Amino acid sequence: MKRSILLVEDDMLMREFITDYFIKEQWEVHEAENGRLALEIFERTSVDLIVLDIMMPEMDGWSVCRRIREKSDVPIIMITARAEDDDQVMGYELGADEYVTKPLSPRVLVARATALMKRTEGTIGREGDMLVYGDLLVNRMAHTVSVADNTINLSPKEYDLLLFLTRHYGKVLPREYILDSVWGYDYLGDLRTVDTHIKKLRAKLGDEGRYIGTVIRAGYKFDMEA
C-alpha cells in the first residue's frame, strides 16, 4: 500500500532532498514551503503522515501542529534546528509523535517515518483495549497488567506511568514532561519522583521491564528495541 506524506519545509533544497528519498521508498509526497500552504493542502488532501519544520515563514510549525490536532490524529514528525528539551516538550504537548533535530539524514528520517506508520497501523502493540508487548499485556478496560499470564500488582500511579509510556511508544520523553503529564503541573515533587517510579515499575515488570529504556541526559523511552 502506497503511503502519502505532507512535507512542510521552507528550505527548497532540503525539501527536494527529503522528497527524493521518500519517493524512492514509494511514498507519495505533497510539498509545502510554509505553514499557511501546509494547512491548505491538508484541508483538501488525505495524507498518512506529516513531516513539519518548526521555523517557517507566515505560520510556524507549532501553530500548524496545533491547528491540525484540532481536527486530526494524523501522525506528525516535527523537525527543528534546536535540540533543547523545552522544544521537545512543546512539540509533545501539542500532539507531535516524533521529534527530529537538524542536521538530519533523509534516509534515517524515512526509516523513522516508516516505523512510526507501523506503530500507528497497529503492527507493534495496539491502541485498543489490549496492549501487547512481548509477554507484557496491558488490559486498558480492566486496568490490569500481566507478564507471561501472571498478574502484576501496580499502584495507580505506576499503572498511569506505564500507560503513558506505551502511549508514546518509541519517543524519548523528557523527565519534566513525564512529571507534568502523569503527576500534573501543580505537583510539588521533583524529578526524582519519576526516576523512583520508573525503577519500581521496571522491577515489577521483571524481564519485560527492559522495554523502558533510559536515554542519557534526555529521559526515558518505551520501546521493544530498548
Side-chain angles (χ1 to χ4, degrees):
M1 178 181 66
K2 193 169 186 178
R3 300 187 179 103
S4 62
I5 179 176
L6 172 56
L7 173 61
V8 192
E9 166 64 64
D10 64 317
D11 185 315
M12 183 180 66
L13 292 178
M14 176 62 71
R15 192 171 66 249
E16 292 178 351
F17 194 32
I18 294 173
T19 293
D20 287 343
Y21 271 84
F22 274 98
I23 290 176
K24 287 178 183 177
E25 295 301 320
Q26 306 302 309
W27 288 70
E28 179 184 3
V29 182
H30 303 273
E31 299 181 38
E33 61 189 30
N34 59 61
R36 178 190 55 76
L37 180 57
L39 289 177
E40 291 179 3
I41 294 174
F42 179 74
E43 288 291 340
R44 65 174 187 263
T45 307
S46 176
V47 296
D48 299 304
L49 174 71
I50 297 174
V51 174
L52 177 61
D53 192 16
I54 291 177
M55 302 304 294
M56 294 185 298
E58 299 196 34
M59 181 182 292
D60 63 25
W62 304 129
S63 301
V64 175
C65 184
R66 185 181 295 109
R67 293 276 294 276
I68 289 174
R69 277 292 172 260
E70 291 174 357
K71 301 179 179 181
S72 172
D73 291 326
V74 61
I76 297 175
I77 298 177
M78 301 197 78
I79 300 176
T80 183
R82 291 158 45 102
E84 299 179 4
D85 286 348
D86 287 347
D87 277 7
Q88 295 190 40
V89 171
M90 172 70 81
Y92 290 141
E93 287 178 343
L94 290 175
D97 296 278
E98 287 277 2
Y99 196 94
V100 178
T101 56
K102 295 180 180 179
L104 60 86
S105 162
R107 185 166 60 179
V108 171
L109 177 60
V110 172
R112 293 182 67 170
T114 301
L116 176 58
M117 291 307 303
K118 288 180 178 179
R119 297 200 303 269
T120 303
E121 291 162 359
T123 57
I124 301 178
R126 285 184 60 86
E127 276 301 319
D129 295 338
M130 307 291 286
L131 305 178
V132 182
Y133 305 94
D135 288 333
L136 172 62
L137 172 65
V138 181
N139 187 326
R140 285 152 47 104
M141 287 293 289
H143 282 235
T144 60
V145 176
S146 62
V147 173
D149 295 327
N150 296 311
T151 299
I152 307 298
N153 294 316
L154 300 181
S155 70
K157 195 58 67 178
E158 289 167 350
Y159 176 82
D160 290 344
L161 176 59
L162 176 60
L163 206 60
F164 181 75
L165 292 171
T166 61
R167 187 176 297 124
H168 295 82
Y169 185 99
K171 297 180 185 177
V172 177
L173 302 172
R175 293 152 77 216
E176 294 89 345
Y177 181 50
I178 296 174
L179 187 69
D180 290 343
S181 299
V182 178
W183 278 266
Y185 288 99
D186 56 350
Y187 180 71
L188 299 179
D190 57 26
L191 296 178
R192 287 174 296 182
T193 299
V194 176
D195 298 331
T196 298
H197 278 73
I198 290 286
K199 182 177 180 179
K200 290 180 178 179
L201 184 56
R202 281 175 174 154
K204 289 187 177 182
L205 295 179
D207 289 343
E208 304 305 88
R210 67 186 185 275
Y211 301 146
I212 305 174
T214 300
V215 183
I216 298 175
R217 293 189 296 275
Y220 295 100
K221 177 173 71 169
F222 188 93
D223 192 329
M224 292 184 72
E225 301 299 323

